[in-house]
Amino acid sequence: MDTIDRPIHATHAVENQPPPLAGYDVAARDVALLEGVRREGAGWDVDGLYALGTLAGSEEAIAWGFEANRFAPELRTHDRYGNRIDEVAFHPSWHRLMEVAVAHGLHGAPWREPRAGAHVARYARFYVWSQAEAGHGCPISMTYAAVPVLRRRADLAALFEPVLTSNEYQPVLLPLREKRGALCGMAMTEKQGGSDLRANTTRAEPFDGDTYALTGHKWFCSAPMSDAFLVLAQAPDGLTCFFLPRVLPDGTRNAFRIQRLKDKLGNRSNASSEVEFERALALRVGEEGRGVATIIEMVNHTRLDCVAGSASLMRQAFAQAAHHARHRRAFGALLAEQPVMQNVLADLALESEAATALMLRLAGAVDRDEDAREAAFARLGIALGKYWVCKRAPSHAAEALECLGGNGYVEESVMPRLYREAPLNSIWEGSGNVNALDVLRALAKTPDSLDAYFAEITLARGGDGRLDRAASSLAQMLAGNPAALEASARRIVEQMALVLQASLLVRHAPHAVADAFCATRLGGEGGATFGTLPPTSGTKAILDRAWPI
Ligand SMILES: Cc1cc2nc3c(=O)[nH]c(=O)nc-3n(C[C@H](O)[C@H](O)[C@H](O)COP(=O)(O)OP(=O)(O)OC[C@H]3O[C@@H](n4cnc5c(N)ncnc54)[C@H](O)[C@@H]3O)c2cc1C
C-alpha cells in the first residue's frame, strides 16, 4: 500500500474555536459594578476591585476553581488509631481560594475596619472574586454574617471577633484563643423541620452559667471544618442561639460529629455535612427562647450574599457567553454580529446589570443602617432581592450556556459548574416561598419598610411611564391586608423586585438599558425566554456597556 506523505495530525486543524477567557481583569470592564460602587459610597476601593478582578480572571485562579471542584472534599471521621477526629480534607486549590478571600477581607473587613462604604466594598469584592469560584464563598459568607450576632455578647465579641475578622487563613483546628484566623458556620436545619425552625429538636441543657450541653442533630451543616458555629437548639425556655466551638479551651475536641458529607448537585468544592452533637458544649447568645430573633441578623447578611452570589454568577455567565459569541463564526459571520444572538446577549446583560444594581443598593442600605429609613429599606429589600435575583439565576445560566453551543455543555468550560451552582442561592437561607412569605411578614409587621420602599421608587417618578404605572398598580395591590395575600406572595414579590430594579436603572443606567428593562419586564413587550427584547431596543448600546473585555 502506498504511504501518503502528510503530517500525522493533518485532520486536526483547530479553527473557529474561541481562545479561553483568561488573563483579564474581571472588574475593569464591569461598568455597572464600578458605577454602582461609586454611587453607593465605596469609590475608594476601585483599585482593590481591580487587583482582585485581575486575580479572579487569571489563569491560575481559574485553574484553582476547576481543581477545587474536581477534587471534592473528603471526610475523615477517624485517625489511623481509631480516634474520632471529624475533619475534612480539601484540595490545595480550595485553600488558595480561601487564602485570597480572607486576605482581601471578604469575610470580615467591614467589621474590622469600619468606614463609610465598607460593606459596599466588601459585597463588590465578594461579587468579583466569586467569579473565579463560588463554592468557597459559603464559609466566607457565614463568617462575615456571624459577627453582628456575636456582638450581642460583648464578652464573646471581645474574645473572638479579632480572630474571625483577621486577614490570616489558618485551616487548623485549635482552641480559638490560640488561632490567628478562624471561620464560623451556621447550623439550623434539621431533618424534620428545615424552614420551620420551630420543629427543631436539638436540646440544650444548662451546664454551667451561660454554657449549655447540646444533644441532637443537624441535617445540613456547611463548612463543617469551621472553628465555630452558631447553632439553634431548644433550651428550657425555647429555641435559643448558641456559639459552639469545635475545640474546647483545654484543647480537647467538642462532641461535634460529622456523620457524612452531602453528595450535591453543584457547589462541590464546598463541604456540606450532616452532624450530631453528643452533649457538645456551647455558649448562649441572646436570651433563651429568642433564638430566631438572634440569628436572623446573620441570615439577613447571608441572604444579601445570596443576591451578590447570584449577581456574580450572572455576570460571569454573561462574560463567558459574550466572549464565545465574539470569537465564534457561524453562517459567515461572528455570532455576536447576528441579530438573534445580539438580542439574547443584550437580554442577559440587562438581567445581570439589574441584579448588580440591586445588590449594590442593598449593600449601601446595610452600610447606612444607622439611618432608620435605610434600615427599613434593607429589611424589605433584602428579602425581595433574595427571592427575585436568585430565582433568575438558573434560567440566566441555562441561556448563557446555550450561547456556547455544545462547548457550553462540556465540563472543560465553566458553564456546567455555573449551571449546577445557580439554583442553590434560591434554596438556602430561605427557599423561594419562604422568602416570599417573609416579604409579606415584613409588610405586615414593619409598615415603615413599605414606606421606605415606595420612597425609593418615587425617586424615579417621571423617568419612565411604564415604571410609574407599575408602581401605582403595585401600591393598589398592597393597599389591602397583607395576610390575605399569601397565595399571591410570589406574584407580589416578583413585581416589587422588578419595580425596584427598574427604578434603579431609570435613575442610574443609560437610557437604552432602562428603556429595554421597563419595556420587557414591566411593559409586556418581552417574551418568556431571554432574547425577546423588542427590535427597537438599543441592543448595541446595551452590549457596548456590558462586554467583559
Ligand atoms: C448545599 C446546601 C447547604 C446548606 N447548608 C446549610 C447550613 O450550613 N446550615 C443550615 O442550617 N442549613 C443549611 N442548608 C439547609 C437549607 O437552608 C434548607 O435546605 C432550606 O432552608 C430549606 O429547608 P428544607 O430543606 O428543610 O426544606 P423545607 O422547609 O421542607 O421546604 C421545602 C419546600 O417547601 C417550601 N415551603 C416551606 N414552607 C412553606 C410554606 N409555609 N408555604 C409554602 N411553601 C413552603 C420551601 O420554599 C421549599 O420549596 C443547606 C442546604 C443546601 C442545599
Side-chain angles (χ1 to χ4, degrees), residues 186 188-189 194-195 220 222 264 424 427-428 431 433-434 437:
M186 165 172 67
M188 299 194 296
T189 309
S195 308
F220 276 97
S222 287
K264 296 176 289 185
L424 181 54
I427 294 173
W428 58 16
S431 304
N433 291 352
V434 171
L437 292 173

Side-chain angles (χ1 to χ4, degrees), residues 491-516:
R491 182 77 192 109
I492 291 167
V493 177
E494 174 176 325
Q495 199 61 13
M496 289 183 80
L498 286 171
V499 165
L500 180 54
Q501 287 184 317
S503 77
L504 293 170
L505 297 181
V506 164
R507 285 166 62 203
H508 307 300
H511 175 74
V513 172
D515 181 57

Side-chain angles (χ1 to χ4, degrees), residues 111 123 141-150 152 185-189 194-195 197 230 232 241 291-307 366 378-379 382-383 386 425 427-431 434-435 438 441:
W111 313 122
Y123 278 99
S141 174
M142 290 195 291
T143 304
Y144 163 69
V147 171
V149 177
L150 207 59
R152 287 174 171 249
M186 165 172 67
M188 299 194 296
T189 309
S195 308
L197 294 170
L230 288 173
L232 288 183
C241 180
V292 175
T294 305
I295 210 165
I296 201 69
E297 208 168 344
M298 177 171 193
V299 175
N300 270 336
H301 281 96
T302 50
R303 281 185 178 171
L304 185 47
D305 270 18
C306 292
V307 177
V366 168
R379 166 68 187 93
I382 291 175
K386 155 78 163 86
N425 282 322
I427 294 173
W428 58 16
E429 311 306 328
S431 304
V434 171
N435 252 276
D438 189 44
R441 196 171 307 116

Side-chain angles (χ1 to χ4, degrees), residues 7-30:
I8 205 162
H9 298 306
T11 62
H12 192 75
V14 179
E15 288 161 4
N16 197 23
Q17 287 283 345
L21 178 57
Y24 76 114
D25 177 346
V26 165
R29 286 290 319 268
D30 193 338

Side-chain angles (χ1 to χ4, degrees), residues 36 39-40 119-121 123-124 144 300-301 303-308 311 354-369 373-390 452-453 456 496-497 500-501 504:
R39 194 164 63 233
E40 296 298 338
H119 289 280
V120 175
Y123 278 99
Y144 163 69
N300 270 336
H301 281 96
R303 281 185 178 171
L304 185 47
D305 270 18
C306 292
V307 177
T356 303
L358 181 54
M359 177 246 327
L360 291 169
R361 175 63 187 91
L362 294 171
V366 168
D367 245 323
R368 299 183 287 272
D369 69 357
R373 175 162 280 191
E374 287 291 276
F377 176 71
R379 166 68 187 93
L380 192 56
I382 291 175
L384 61 88
K386 155 78 163 86
Y387 173 80
W388 183 241
V389 173
C390 299
Y453 170 86
E456 179 79 12
M496 289 183 80
L500 180 54
Q501 287 184 317
L504 293 170

